[in-house]
Amino acid sequence: MYEDKTLKCKECGNEFVFTAGEQEFYAEKGFQNEPQRCKACRDKRKNVNKEQREMFTTVCANCGKEAKVPFQPSNDRPVYCSECFAAMKEEQ
């Protein structure tokens, strides 16, 4: 029923594909207009007002690797890298 369409982004001018699946999704949601921007431009526009999180570098208390965390580490509690943190959550 739907076929992939090549559209031109009004922001960057690059061509992008409006897939048959996306067209079906748009129809299900009742959207009347085709997208005017490519995915990269839509994402950039969506995140323009989002505040970037400051990341802090520390050392994992379990494996000793460098870890980046979105909070200021304090010396009274251990901090873990994402891999060690995930492994510890699985054990619980």
Side-chain angles (χ1 to χ4, degrees), residues 8 41 45 53 74:
K8 187 172 185 177
C41 289
R45 188 178 169 104
R53 278 186 148 176
S74 61

Side-chain angles (χ1 to χ4, degrees), residues 6-19:
T6 301
L7 303 175
K8 187 172 185 177
C9 177
K10 78 175 199 178
E11 191 111 353
C12 68
N14 291 331
E15 290 186 343
F16 66 97
V17 177
F18 186 34
T19 67

Side-chain angles (χ1 to χ4, degrees), residues 5-63:
K5 288 184 183 177
T6 301
L7 303 175
K8 187 172 185 177
C9 177
K10 78 175 199 178
E11 191 111 353
C12 68
N14 291 331
E15 290 186 343
F16 66 97
V17 177
F18 186 34
T19 67
E22 289 170 329
Q23 292 173 50
E24 189 174 347
F25 173 79
Y26 271 53
E28 286 175 10
K29 295 293 182 185
F31 299 150
Q32 299 293 315
N33 301 321
E34 294 178 340
Q36 296 184 9
R37 292 175 179 83
C38 65
K39 173 110 172 81
C41 289
R42 285 194 314 264
D43 289 345
K44 185 169 65 175
R45 188 178 169 104
K46 190 181 344 178
N47 294 325
V48 73
N49 291 329
K50 267 192 181 173
E51 194 175 307
Q52 292 288 52
R53 278 186 148 176
E54 183 179 358
M55 299 298 278
F56 299 90
T57 304
T58 188
V59 176
C60 177
N62 190 42
C63 68

Side-chain angles (χ1 to χ4, degrees), residues 74-92:
S74 61
N75 293 331
D76 61 333
R77 298 185 65 182
V79 177
Y80 303 101
C81 66
S82 55
E83 292 86 12
C84 291
F85 185 77
M88 290 173 67
K89 280 191 97 159
E90 285 180 13
E91 290 175 8
Q92 292 178 354

